Amino acid sequence: AQSVTQLGSHVSVSEGALVLLRCNYSSSVPPYLFWYVQYPNQGLQLLLKYTSAATLVKGINGFEAEFKKSETSFHLTKPSAHMSDAAEYFCAVTYRGMNTGNQFYFGTGTSLTVIP
Amino acid sequence: NAGVTQTPKFQVLKTGQSMTLQCAQDMNHEYMSWYRQDPGMGLRLIHYSVGAGITDQGEVPNGYNVSRSTTEDFPLRLLSAAPSQTSVYFCASRRSLGANTGELFFGEGSRLTVL
């Protein structure tokens, strides 16, 4: 079965501290992986995506993620948190070569709080 | 370029009423989908479509109908609303299935309350 697990439904960091949001996937085939951000009362916006090129992916707003096949992980990081980073973050996975609608599977989300 | 547009943004229904959530995209995307978002459960796929005239069920299809008569539009119908359908609904689209790397583009959501 294909699935995504986000460890920690709530994460708090101080402004200027490292942000680390965890995502692990379960897959029997090579995945494509995505991180989305959702600000209050808005839709989801793409932060970054891994599509089998470089394993270290850089996204918008200073975020990056590293695909680690051996650990089946795609953790999201940012060196220095900003107040504007406070939001809900979702990890998602889809798979290569599927023809059944190329469905995306989403994690349950991590709410990031940034403490001034 | 509007992207994915959903209407209405807010709706309150009584149990048993029916309604349609509208979704339109102007990116010529073949794939369109509907998700519901509930606290602690992430996004769950309701229905999806891989092109005009083609729809299929997702993870939680019961109580919802969809149709796809044009590439641009993908309405979601609630047949007889129930309190369990209180949720935030998102429409999302992506480009051709041949480009498996394409990300989903989301609308801003429709917040539905069923009393």
Side-chain angles (χ1 to χ4, degrees), chain A residues 43-104:
Chain A
L44 280 72
Q45 305 172 29
L46 182 70
L47 270 179
L48 49 79
K49 63 182 180 181
Y50 165 75
T51 57
S52 78
T55 56
L56 181 62
V57 180
K58 295 187 183 300
I60 62 172
N61 300 338
F63 284 93
E64 63 181 37
E66 186 172 9
F67 172 67
K68 292 187 176 181
K69 183 179 179 180
S70 61
E71 299 177 8
T72 61
S73 69
F74 191 57
H75 301 332
L76 182 70
T77 61
K78 182 175 180 178
S80 176
H82 190 275
M83 295 299 294
S84 61
D85 294 328
E88 187 92 14
Y89 292 80
F90 292 93
C91 183
V93 63
T94 188
Y95 301 95
R96 308 178 193 184
M98 288 182 65
N99 293 317
T100 55
N102 302 96
Q103 292 187 29
F104 278 60

Side-chain angles (χ1 to χ4, degrees), chain A residues 32 34 36 38 41-44 46 49 51 88 90 94-104 106-109, chain B residues 31 35 37 40-43 45 48 50 57-59 90 94-95 97 100-109 111:
Chain A
Y32 294 142
F34 304 79
Y36 284 86
Q38 184 182 31
N41 300 315
Q42 294 188 23
L44 280 72
L46 182 70
K49 63 182 180 181
T51 57
E88 187 92 14
F90 292 93
T94 188
Y95 301 95
R96 308 178 193 184
M98 288 182 65
N99 293 317
T100 55
N102 302 96
Q103 292 187 29
F104 278 60
F106 285 85
T108 53
Chain B
Y31 180 89
Y35 289 86
Q37 183 180 26
M41 304 190 75
L43 281 82
L45 182 64
Y48 65 95
V50 299
Q57 296 180 353
E59 179 184 358
F90 288 98
R94 63 180 294 191
R95 58 189 170 129
L97 295 179
N100 279 350
T101 59
E103 67 267 27
L104 284 172
F105 292 81
F106 284 83
E108 294 203 343
R111 186 175 298 273

Side-chain angles (χ1 to χ4, degrees), chain B residues 7-101:
Chain B
T7 56
K9 286 185 168 45
F10 301 93
Q11 183 72 50
V12 178
L13 290 177
K14 294 181 180 178
T15 297
Q17 287 185 317
S18 62
M19 75 156 299
T20 299
L21 299 177
Q22 302 290 346
C23 176
Q25 53 91 9
D26 61 0
M27 298 173 283
N28 201 32
H29 285 173
E30 292 186 359
Y31 180 89
M32 296 186 73
S33 56
W34 278 101
Y35 289 86
R36 60 178 289 173
Q37 183 180 26
D38 302 291
M41 304 190 75
L43 281 82
R44 293 182 292 169
L45 182 64
I46 305 171
H47 286 284
Y48 65 95
S49 169
V50 299
I54 307 170
T55 63
D56 206 346
Q57 296 180 353
E59 179 184 358
V60 288
N62 292 342
Y64 307 96
N65 271 0
V66 292
S67 59
R68 184 96 177 269
S69 57
T70 67
T71 299
E72 295 78 18
D73 299 300
F74 190 46
L76 178 72
R77 297 182 185 85
L78 280 70
L79 308 175
S80 177
S84 61
Q85 293 179 304
T86 294
S87 187
V88 181
Y89 292 85
F90 288 98
C91 180
S93 70
R94 63 180 294 191
R95 58 189 170 129
S96 169
L97 295 179
N100 279 350
T101 59

